[in-house]
């Protein structure tokens, strides 16, 4: 699969001027905050939630209304902060999300480390995506971000890049779930995509939701969103992106290979070994009354990526 090469454009040219100026103010504000003497402990770790302006993309508005923000930010999966749905909102405030850098390395011509300030300079857009957890609940969320392929263009993947691995921060001092040492996952959390999946225009480098920067429990300051796959493919609080020749082993596959395959495409016809995937609870519904759609409703855009593949064997 050839790698799309998009010439890097200075973000000042692709972002509408007012949005760009406002974002510069936001970045300047952050720099200013960092220059103040930091109080120890909780004050230093205060989550950074700021307005995040973005063009609304009308091409991505599902038929169901967006999930209430309060629900999307209090019912989470982020095992680094505990395995209960209410644990991340209680515990993720400990994570220091500034300063933050993402290392982009591996099979690329121009490896580089980008700061969160660099990511905020991309032309951001709001896209409302369906989001389906493997546990058969779902939400509809207005994300703010930009296509992963634009980030890839900066580092110029080589012809040997066949997969991409995403790695989450590993900070036991700030992550109570890791400190608790639960025998669930090996840390750091890693996830992977095939290069054509990563480069697909639906794959979003996500910096915000509901018009604001991401709350820590939702993966601040930068996460991935891959809307046609089960939620666990969308790694949170990313610190490293590697372009690889070989298929990486993701954390969930390592934990239980027959339950969580590499592809993890939403598929109502392939049950999870312990439950059906035919229906889902569109939160806040209490019952799984919504029929799950192939590729989570994005089949017209992504089905061709899997032409000729056995989606049961490659679940
Ligand atoms: N680092 C990390 N990323 C993660 C997870 C996690 O435990 N750790 N959980 C995944 C799962 S199972 C889901 S459903 C989504 C949940 O995202 P949300 O809380 O923003 O809805 O995050 C995914 N990304
Ligand atoms: Mo999930």
């Amino acid at each position: 699969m050839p790698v799309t090469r998009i010439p890097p454009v200075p973000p000042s040219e692709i972002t509408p001027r007012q949005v760009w100026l406002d974002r510069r103010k936001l970045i300047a504000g952050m720099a200013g905050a960092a220059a103040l003497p930091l109080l120890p402990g909780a004050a230093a770790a205060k989550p950074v939630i700021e307005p995040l302006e973005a063009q609304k993309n009308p091409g991505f508005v599902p038929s169901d209304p967006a999930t209430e923000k309060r629900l999307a930010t209090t019912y989470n999966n982020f095992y680094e902060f505990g395995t209960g749905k209410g644990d991340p909102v209680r515990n993720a405030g400990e994570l220091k999300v500034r300063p933050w850098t993402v290392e982009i390395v591996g099979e690329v011509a121009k490896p580089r480390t980008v700061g969160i300030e660099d990511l905020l300079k991309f032309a951001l857009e709001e896209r409302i995506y369906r989001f389906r957890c493997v546990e058969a609940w779902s939400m509809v969320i207005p994300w703010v971000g930009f296509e992963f392929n634009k980030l890839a263009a900066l580092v110029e993947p080589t012809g040997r890049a066949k997969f991409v691995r995403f790695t989450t921060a590993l900070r036991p001092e700030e992550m109570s779930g890791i400190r608790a040492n639960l025998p669930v996952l090996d840390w750091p959390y890693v996830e992977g995509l095939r290069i054509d999946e990563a480069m697909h225009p639906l794959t979003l480098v996500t910096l915000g939701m509901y018009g604001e920067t991401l709350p820590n429990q939702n993966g601040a300051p930068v996460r991935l969103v891959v809307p046609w796959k089960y939620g666990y493919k969308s790694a949170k609080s990313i610190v490293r992106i590697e372009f690889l020749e070989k298929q990486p082993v993701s954390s969930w596959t390592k934990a239980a290979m027959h339950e969580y395959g590499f592809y993890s495409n939403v598929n109502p016809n392939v049950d999870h070994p312990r439950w059906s995937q035919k229906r889902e609870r569109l939160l806040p519904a209490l019952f799984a009354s919504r029929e799950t759609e192939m590729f989570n409703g994005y089949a017209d855009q992504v089905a061709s990526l899997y032409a000729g593949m056995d989606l049961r064997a490659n679940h």
Side-chain angles (χ1 to χ4, degrees):
M1 159 55 64
V3 171
T4 333
R5 285 184 200 277
I6 301 162
V9 176
S12 55
E13 283 173 25
I14 48 185
T15 307
R17 188 171 161 76
Q18 192 52 46
V19 173
W20 184 69
L21 288 173
D22 289 349
R23 211 169 298 140
R24 280 186 41 129
K25 258 189 272 164
L26 165 63
I27 294 161
M30 286 167 189
L36 291 173
L38 288 176
L39 298 170
K46 203 167 183 295
V48 180
I49 303 228
E50 303 271 2
L52 192 57
E53 282 183 61
Q55 301 282 335
K56 291 188 196 308
N57 187 325
F60 301 96
V61 181
S63 46
D64 293 289
T67 305
E68 206 193 316
K69 174 177 151 190
R70 194 198 51 82
L71 182 55
T73 57
T74 56
Y75 188 93
N76 302 101
N77 270 339
F78 200 164
Y79 278 20
E80 286 85 337
F81 299 101
T83 53
K85 299 284 178 274
D87 291 339
V89 67
R90 261 197 303 280
N91 303 327
E94 273 191 278
L95 183 68
K96 296 188 182 78
V97 299
R98 298 288 188 281
W100 193 277
T101 56
V102 182
E103 220 188 325
I104 315 178
V105 293
E107 286 297 342
V108 295
K110 297 182 174 164
R112 59 184 283 181
T113 298
V114 297
I116 189 66
E117 304 73 20
D118 304 317
L119 297 174
L120 284 161
K121 286 182 204 154
F122 277 81
L124 304 181
E125 53 176 284
E126 179 181 277
R127 293 185 180 185
I128 308 180
Y129 278 163
R130 291 189 180 283
F131 192 82
R132 171 64 156 78
C133 178
V134 71
E135 297 164 299
W137 50 264
S138 63
M139 300 196 200
V140 174
I141 300 185
W143 302 109
V144 177
F146 61 92
E147 292 176 9
F148 175 81
N149 57 58
K150 299 199 168 129
L151 188 58
L154 284 186
V155 295
E156 299 178 15
T158 70
R160 283 186 300 277
K162 302 285 188 326
F163 295 91
V164 186
R165 174 164 58 197
F166 302 87
T167 304
T168 295
L170 174 62
R171 300 192 196 155
E173 342 63 87
E174 298 172 21
M175 294 172 150
S176 54
I178 294 185
R179 289 199 299 275
N181 218 2
L182 304 168
V184 224
L185 292 177
D186 269 355
W187 314 107
Y189 191 99
V190 293
E191 258 309 336
L193 295 172
R194 213 170 59 189
I195 188 90
D196 56 337
E197 299 178 315
M199 300 301 248
H200 190 280
L202 280 173
T203 303
L204 210 65
V205 176
T206 303
L207 303 165
M209 64 198 299
Y210 299 92
E212 296 177 327
T213 53
L214 287 172
N216 284 8
Q217 63 272 24
N218 293 90
V222 55
R223 68 174 296 172
L224 206 68
V225 176
V226 193
W228 72 96
K229 294 179 178 279
Y230 293 121
Y232 64 90
K233 298 302 283 186
S234 297
K236 294 176 166 181
S237 306
I238 294 169
V239 293
R240 191 173 316 110
I241 298 173
E242 294 155 280
F243 289 80
L244 305 171
E245 194 166 357
K246 300 252 158 59
Q247 181 173 310
V249 179
S250 55
S251 294
W252 280 105
T253 303
K254 193 168 174 190
M257 188 165 41
H258 62 293
E259 302 202 356
Y260 311 104
F262 177 77
Y263 285 93
S264 312
N265 291 316
V266 174
N267 188 342
N269 309 315
V270 179
D271 288 341
H272 183 277
R274 290 181 281 138
W275 58 81
S276 165
Q277 294 291 22
K278 285 189 177 50
R279 309 179 82 80
E280 67 200 50
R281 260 183 338 120
L282 177 57
L283 297 178
L286 295 176
F287 300 101
S289 49
R290 187 180 188 281
E291 279 184 36
T292 289
E293 294 173 65
M294 191 65 202
F295 298 112
N296 205 26
Y298 299 96
D300 53 337
Q301 293 162 75
V302 299
S304 61
L305 297 179
Y306 310 102
M309 270 178 72
D310 176 348
L311 296 179
R312 190 170 294 275
N314 297 288
H315 64 88

